[in-house]
């Protein structure tokens, strides 16, 4: 009897996270889906497959620790840090809100590291052993040709640095740690003028994840598998 592979997804109730749940469940994976408020799940509750939903605010230490303990003994083949926020829509230098900046860093940078650390034993016990963080090309310093968007850009640059460091720390356990840019996607965050659909993005992301090798641990990749400059 073949055991189903297991994927753990944060921010799973909408956008890219919801489509990740849909596609992995359709591919006969066991899906552990998390979101801040599991009450009134809407579309997530209507998906078919082996899906279990847990409430998780990724910035809440107690919730995250409790969930890791609840899932003790569960092997997680692929952990996807998908939960994230854009932060304020005001971009200019004079409009930077330091409190909002701090909160964005908590969600986009500190939380992915915390979740990855808490669930490292679960990932290490699996067959595939992959930790993926959904990042953005806007975190690329080399690609920044327009400036502005200080809060979101800096949060994604920071999580890139954090996960690159984590990739070295977990290498001896055979865990692949990779950063993935999903493209400019037509979601609530990406807006209606984005270039690709959520279905296209997630299909690409899943393909990249499936084909990751140990040599790619610590890489910053596009949803089509191409490398993005730091």
């Amino acid at each position: 009897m073949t055991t189903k592979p297991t994927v753990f997804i944060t921010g799973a109730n909408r956008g890219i996270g919801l489509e990740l749940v849909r596609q992995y469940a359709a591919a006969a994976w066991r899906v552990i889906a998390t979101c801040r408020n599991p009450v009134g799940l809407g579309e997530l509750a209507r998906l078919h497959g082996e899906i279990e939903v847990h409430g998780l605010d990724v910035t809440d230490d107690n919730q995250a620790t409790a969930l890791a303990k609840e899932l003790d003994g569960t092997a997680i083949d692929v952990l996807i840090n998908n939960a994230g926020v854009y932060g304020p829509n005001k971009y200019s230098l004079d409009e930077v809100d330091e409190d909002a900046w701090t909160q964005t860093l908590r969600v986009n940078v500190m939380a992915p590291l915390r979740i990855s650390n808490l669930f490292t034993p679960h990932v290490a016990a699996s067959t595939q052993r992959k930790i993926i963080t959904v990042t953005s090309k806007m975190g690329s310093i080399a690609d920044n040709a327009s400036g502005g968007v200080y809060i979101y850009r800096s949060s994604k640059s920071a999580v890139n640095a954090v996960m690159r460091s984590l990739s070295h720390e977990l290498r001896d356990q055979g865990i692949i740690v990779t950063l993935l840019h999903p493209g400019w996607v037509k979601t609530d965050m990406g807006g209606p003028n984005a270039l690709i659909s959520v279905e296209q993005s997630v299909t690409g992301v899943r393909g990249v994840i499936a084909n990751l090798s140990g040599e790619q641990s610590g890489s910053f990749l596009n949803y089509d598998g191409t490398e993005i400059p730091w």
Side-chain angles (χ1 to χ4, degrees):
M1 180 177 175
T2 302
T3 303
K4 285 185 177 182
T6 298
V7 60
F8 179 102
I9 303 165
T10 65
N13 61 320
R14 63 177 184 169
I16 291 168
L18 181 66
E19 184 62 21
L20 282 164
V21 174
R22 187 197 318 277
Q23 290 196 23
Y24 273 110
W29 282 56
R30 176 191 177 192
V31 180
I32 302 171
T34 75
C35 57
R36 281 186 298 176
N37 184 9
V39 178
L41 288 173
E43 194 171 351
L44 179 57
R46 294 191 290 272
L47 297 182
H48 298 289
E50 189 175 342
I51 303 166
E52 58 186 78
V53 181
H54 298 267
L56 175 64
D57 178 342
V58 294
T59 66
D60 188 317
D61 289 335
N62 292 331
Q63 280 190 22
T65 301
L67 182 56
K69 289 181 179 178
E70 181 180 343
L71 295 174
D72 187 38
T74 299
I76 296 173
D77 290 275
V78 177
L79 185 152
I80 303 178
N81 289 305
N82 169 70
V85 295
Y86 194 81
N89 288 325
K90 295 179 180 180
Y91 306 140
S92 74
L93 183 59
D94 294 331
E95 294 174 314
V96 172
D97 181 330
E98 292 190 1
D99 289 336
W101 198 347
T102 299
Q103 180 58 21
T104 302
L105 290 172
R106 288 186 68 210
V107 176
N108 291 359
V109 185
M110 301 173 196
L113 182 61
R114 179 188 304 110
I115 297 298
S116 299
N117 184 37
L118 285 170
F119 286 91
T120 287
H122 307 70
V123 176
S126 75
T127 300
Q128 297 192 29
R129 290 176 295 194
K130 296 172 182 177
I131 295 176
I132 310 300
T133 297
V134 177
T135 183
S136 172
K137 194 176 180 181
M138 291 184 73
S140 168
I141 295 173
D143 190 65
N144 184 354
S146 59
V149 200
Y150 293 97
I151 293 176
Y152 185 69
R153 283 189 189 279
S154 64
S155 74
K156 291 304 184 179
S157 294
V159 79
N160 289 354
V162 163
M163 290 298 158
R164 175 76 176 206
S165 289
L166 186 64
S167 72
H168 294 297
E169 191 155 353
L170 299 185
R171 194 177 299 275
D172 287 347
Q173 297 185 54
I175 295 175
I176 298 170
V177 180
T178 306
L179 293 139
L180 280 181
H181 168 58
W184 186 14
V185 188
K186 293 177 182 177
T187 61
D188 289 344
M189 185 184 292
N193 297 320
L195 298 178
I196 62 172
S197 69
V198 68
E199 294 82 6
Q200 289 173 291
S201 170
V202 171
T203 297
V205 164
R206 287 184 56 240
V208 173
I209 292 172
N211 292 303
L212 284 174
S213 65
E215 291 72 25
Q216 290 174 296
S217 190
S219 296
F220 181 12
L221 303 175
N222 196 20
Y223 74 98
D224 62 4
T226 58
E227 287 200 28
I228 297 174
W230 296 100

